[in-house]
Amino acid sequence: FIFIEVSPYSLVVFLTDALGTAVQWGVEFTSRVHLTRRGFSPDFFEVGDEVTFSVSPYADGSPGGRFYWVKLANGRYYCDVGGAQRICQENNE
């Protein structure tokens, strides 16, 4: 997992697919206000962290989508607003 910060609200991540090929994905986040309310901070990600994202995929089928939730390397979940909050409630103690 490698990321490059494009703006405060998006990440470019590089994933390895089943064939071992690096694939670039875009992950778009919600507003800074919503991220802050959820306790999200810029230091959550370090280069090399293994994290799991759930996204609403791009309509055009390109790799990436809008952030729904992320499971950090330490096992903690951070979720977008709305229905995604259920994921955090179920997985964070």
Side-chain angles (χ1 to χ4, degrees):
F1 169 78
I2 300 172
F3 80 93
I4 301 167
E5 186 174 346
V6 178
S7 76
Y9 312 115
S10 63
L11 294 177
V12 174
V13 295
F14 294 90
L15 311 174
T16 304
D17 68 13
L19 300 174
T21 305
V23 179
Q24 179 177 320
W25 278 59
V27 179
E28 297 177 9
F29 287 83
T30 187
S31 74
R32 180 177 294 216
V33 171
H34 286 140
L35 291 172
T36 302
R37 286 180 184 162
R38 299 288 177 257
F40 210 87
S41 70
D43 62 350
F44 278 168
F45 303 107
E46 297 290 331
V47 173
D49 281 354
E50 292 188 24
V51 301
T52 303
F53 281 100
S54 176
V55 298
S56 297
Y58 291 135
D60 68 1
S62 60
R66 188 176 189 287
F67 165 75
Y68 192 62
W69 57 259
V70 61
K71 180 182 177 185
L72 301 176
N74 66 8
R76 184 142 179 90
Y77 284 75
Y78 283 87
C79 301
D80 197 0
V81 298
Q85 286 299 298
R86 179 181 50 83
I87 303 297
C88 281
Q89 291 168 353
E90 292 173 356
N91 291 285
N92 294 331
E93 296 183 32

